[in-house]
mmCIF file with all atom_site columns, all heavy atoms in Angstrom:
data_model
loop_
_atom_site.group_PDB
_atom_site.id
_atom_site.type_symbol
_atom_site.label_atom_id
_atom_site.label_alt_id
_atom_site.label_comp_id
_atom_site.label_asym_id
_atom_site.label_entity_id
_atom_site.label_seq_id
_atom_site.pdbx_PDB_ins_code
_atom_site.Cartn_x
_atom_site.Cartn_y
_atom_site.Cartn_z
_atom_site.occupancy
_atom_site.B_iso_or_equiv
_atom_site.pdbx_formal_charge
_atom_site.auth_seq_id
_atom_site.auth_comp_id
_atom_site.auth_asym_id
_atom_site.auth_atom_id
_atom_site.pdbx_PDB_model_num
ATOM 1  N N   . HIS A 1 45  ? 5.067  -31.517 30.207 1.00 93.00 ? 1489 HIS A N   1
ATOM 2  C CA  . HIS A 1 45  ? 4.147  -32.598 29.848 1.00 93.00 ? 1489 HIS A CA  1
ATOM 3  C C   . HIS A 1 45  ? 4.107  -32.765 28.339 1.00 93.00 ? 1489 HIS A C   1
ATOM 4  O O   . HIS A 1 45  ? 4.665  -31.956 27.606 1.00 93.00 ? 1489 HIS A O   1
ATOM 5  C CB  . HIS A 1 45  ? 2.729  -32.304 30.369 1.00 93.00 ? 1489 HIS A CB  1
ATOM 6  C CG  . HIS A 1 45  ? 2.168  -31.012 29.868 1.00 93.00 ? 1489 HIS A CG  1
ATOM 7  N ND1 . HIS A 1 45  ? 1.717  -30.844 28.577 1.00 93.00 ? 1489 HIS A ND1 1
ATOM 8  C CD2 . HIS A 1 45  ? 2.029  -29.813 30.480 1.00 93.00 ? 1489 HIS A CD2 1
ATOM 9  C CE1 . HIS A 1 45  ? 1.301  -29.587 28.425 1.00 93.00 ? 1489 HIS A CE1 1
ATOM 10 N NE2 . HIS A 1 45  ? 1.495  -28.933 29.555 1.00 93.00 ? 1489 HIS A NE2 1
ATOM 11 N N   . GLY A 1 46  ? 3.422  -33.812 27.901 1.00 93.00 ? 1490 GLY A N   1
ATOM 12 C CA  . GLY A 1 46  ? 3.251  -34.054 26.465 1.00 93.00 ? 1490 GLY A CA  1
ATOM 13 C C   . GLY A 1 46  ? 2.027  -33.323 25.938 1.00 93.00 ? 1490 GLY A C   1
ATOM 14 O O   . GLY A 1 46  ? 1.646  -32.265 26.450 1.00 93.00 ? 1490 GLY A O   1
ATOM 15 N N   . CYS A 1 47  ? 1.397  -33.898 24.924 1.00 91.00 ? 1491 CYS A N   1
ATOM 16 C CA  . CYS A 1 47  ? 0.224  -33.304 24.276 1.00 91.00 ? 1491 CYS A CA  1
ATOM 17 C C   . CYS A 1 47  ? -1.003 -34.161 24.589 1.00 91.00 ? 1491 CYS A C   1
ATOM 18 O O   . CYS A 1 47  ? -1.191 -35.207 23.963 1.00 91.00 ? 1491 CYS A O   1
ATOM 19 C CB  . CYS A 1 47  ? 0.426  -33.226 22.769 1.00 91.00 ? 1491 CYS A CB  1
ATOM 20 S SG  . CYS A 1 47  ? 1.951  -32.430 22.234 1.00 91.00 ? 1491 CYS A SG  1
ATOM 21 N N   . GLU A 1 48  ? -1.787 -33.731 25.553 1.00 90.00 ? 1492 GLU A N   1
ATOM 22 C CA  . GLU A 1 48  ? -3.029 -34.424 25.917 1.00 90.00 ? 1492 GLU A CA  1
ATOM 23 C C   . GLU A 1 48  ? -2.826 -35.926 26.084 1.00 90.00 ? 1492 GLU A C   1
ATOM 24 O O   . GLU A 1 48  ? -3.543 -36.746 25.509 1.00 90.00 ? 1492 GLU A O   1
ATOM 25 C CB  . GLU A 1 48  ? -4.113 -34.116 24.895 1.00 90.00 ? 1492 GLU A CB  1
ATOM 26 C CG  . GLU A 1 48  ? -4.459 -32.634 24.848 1.00 90.00 ? 1492 GLU A CG  1
ATOM 27 C CD  . GLU A 1 48  ? -5.577 -32.323 23.879 1.00 90.00 ? 1492 GLU A CD  1
ATOM 28 O OE1 . GLU A 1 48  ? -6.390 -33.213 23.575 1.00 90.00 ? 1492 GLU A OE1 1
ATOM 29 O OE2 . GLU A 1 48  ? -5.634 -31.167 23.433 1.00 90.00 ? 1492 GLU A OE2 1
ATOM 30 N N   . SER A 1 50  ? -0.184 -37.737 25.179 1.00 95.00 ? 1494 SER A N   1
ATOM 31 C CA  . SER A 1 50  ? 0.751  -38.298 24.205 1.00 95.00 ? 1494 SER A CA  1
ATOM 32 C C   . SER A 1 50  ? 2.182  -37.846 24.510 1.00 95.00 ? 1494 SER A C   1
ATOM 33 O O   . SER A 1 50  ? 2.400  -36.679 24.842 1.00 95.00 ? 1494 SER A O   1
ATOM 34 C CB  . SER A 1 50  ? 0.337  -37.854 22.804 1.00 95.00 ? 1494 SER A CB  1
ATOM 35 O OG  . SER A 1 50  ? 1.188  -38.390 21.839 1.00 95.00 ? 1494 SER A OG  1
ATOM 36 N N   . PRO A 1 51  ? 3.186  -38.741 24.387 1.00 97.00 ? 1495 PRO A N   1
ATOM 37 C CA  . PRO A 1 51  ? 4.570  -38.363 24.690 1.00 97.00 ? 1495 PRO A CA  1
ATOM 38 C C   . PRO A 1 51  ? 5.171  -37.392 23.668 1.00 97.00 ? 1495 PRO A C   1
ATOM 39 O O   . PRO A 1 51  ? 4.859  -37.448 22.484 1.00 97.00 ? 1495 PRO A O   1
ATOM 40 C CB  . PRO A 1 51  ? 5.315  -39.698 24.675 1.00 97.00 ? 1495 PRO A CB  1
ATOM 41 C CG  . PRO A 1 51  ? 4.478  -40.609 23.854 1.00 97.00 ? 1495 PRO A CG  1
ATOM 42 C CD  . PRO A 1 51  ? 3.062  -40.146 24.014 1.00 97.00 ? 1495 PRO A CD  1
ATOM 43 N N   . THR A 1 52  ? 6.040  -36.509 24.159 1.00 97.00 ? 1496 THR A N   1
ATOM 44 C CA  . THR A 1 52  ? 6.765  -35.538 23.328 1.00 97.00 ? 1496 THR A CA  1
ATOM 45 C C   . THR A 1 52  ? 7.862  -36.252 22.548 1.00 97.00 ? 1496 THR A C   1
ATOM 46 O O   . THR A 1 52  ? 8.628  -37.029 23.114 1.00 97.00 ? 1496 THR A O   1
ATOM 47 C CB  . THR A 1 52  ? 7.365  -34.432 24.213 1.00 97.00 ? 1496 THR A CB  1
ATOM 48 O OG1 . THR A 1 52  ? 6.308  -33.774 24.912 1.00 97.00 ? 1496 THR A OG1 1
ATOM 49 C CG2 . THR A 1 52  ? 8.149  -33.417 23.391 1.00 97.00 ? 1496 THR A CG2 1
ATOM 50 N N   . PRO A 1 109 ? 7.659  -39.134 28.127 1.00 96.00 ? 1553 PRO A N   1
ATOM 51 C CA  . PRO A 1 109 ? 6.281  -39.467 28.503 1.00 96.00 ? 1553 PRO A CA  1
ATOM 52 C C   . PRO A 1 109 ? 5.514  -38.259 29.041 1.00 96.00 ? 1553 PRO A C   1
ATOM 53 O O   . PRO A 1 109 ? 6.096  -37.358 29.652 1.00 96.00 ? 1553 PRO A O   1
ATOM 54 C CB  . PRO A 1 109 ? 6.454  -40.530 29.592 1.00 96.00 ? 1553 PRO A CB  1
ATOM 55 C CG  . PRO A 1 109 ? 7.818  -41.109 29.344 1.00 96.00 ? 1553 PRO A CG  1
ATOM 56 C CD  . PRO A 1 109 ? 8.641  -39.950 28.826 1.00 96.00 ? 1553 PRO A CD  1
ATOM 57 N N   . ASP A 1 110 ? 4.212  -38.260 28.825 1.00 94.00 ? 1554 ASP A N   1
ATOM 58 C CA  . ASP A 1 110 ? 3.342  -37.161 29.251 1.00 94.00 ? 1554 ASP A CA  1
ATOM 59 C C   . ASP A 1 110 ? 3.402  -36.915 30.754 1.00 94.00 ? 1554 ASP A C   1
ATOM 60 O O   . ASP A 1 110 ? 3.285  -35.774 31.197 1.00 94.00 ? 1554 ASP A O   1
ATOM 61 C CB  . ASP A 1 110 ? 1.905  -37.455 28.824 1.00 94.00 ? 1554 ASP A CB  1
ATOM 62 C CG  . ASP A 1 110 ? 0.946  -36.347 29.227 1.00 94.00 ? 1554 ASP A CG  1
ATOM 63 O OD1 . ASP A 1 110 ? 1.200  -35.183 28.832 1.00 94.00 ? 1554 ASP A OD1 1
ATOM 64 O OD2 . ASP A 1 110 ? -0.033 -36.626 29.930 1.00 94.00 ? 1554 ASP A OD2 1
ATOM 65 N N   . GLN A 1 137 ? 6.151  -27.923 20.132 1.00 97.00 ? 1581 GLN A N   1
ATOM 66 C CA  . GLN A 1 137 ? 6.238  -29.205 20.820 1.00 97.00 ? 1581 GLN A CA  1
ATOM 67 C C   . GLN A 1 137 ? 5.445  -30.223 20.011 1.00 97.00 ? 1581 GLN A C   1
ATOM 68 O O   . GLN A 1 137 ? 4.230  -30.100 19.866 1.00 97.00 ? 1581 GLN A O   1
ATOM 69 C CB  . GLN A 1 137 ? 5.669  -29.080 22.235 1.00 97.00 ? 1581 GLN A CB  1
ATOM 70 C CG  . GLN A 1 137 ? 5.663  -30.358 23.025 1.00 97.00 ? 1581 GLN A CG  1
ATOM 71 C CD  . GLN A 1 137 ? 5.041  -30.189 24.406 1.00 97.00 ? 1581 GLN A CD  1
ATOM 72 O OE1 . GLN A 1 137 ? 4.428  -29.166 24.721 1.00 97.00 ? 1581 GLN A OE1 1
ATOM 73 N NE2 . GLN A 1 137 ? 5.206  -31.196 25.233 1.00 97.00 ? 1581 GLN A NE2 1
ATOM 74 N N   . CYS A 1 139 ? 4.292  -34.201 19.461 1.00 96.00 ? 1583 CYS A N   1
ATOM 75 C CA  . CYS A 1 139 ? 4.095  -35.418 20.235 1.00 96.00 ? 1583 CYS A CA  1
ATOM 76 C C   . CYS A 1 139 ? 3.753  -36.579 19.298 1.00 96.00 ? 1583 CYS A C   1
ATOM 77 O O   . CYS A 1 139 ? 3.523  -36.370 18.103 1.00 96.00 ? 1583 CYS A O   1
ATOM 78 C CB  . CYS A 1 139 ? 2.972  -35.205 21.254 1.00 96.00 ? 1583 CYS A CB  1
ATOM 79 S SG  . CYS A 1 139 ? 3.389  -33.924 22.466 1.00 96.00 ? 1583 CYS A SG  1
#
Side-chain angles (χ1 to χ4, degrees):
H1489 57 74
C1491 308
E1492 298 182 24
S1494 181
T1496 300
D1554 180 56
Q1581 178 182 11
C1583 297

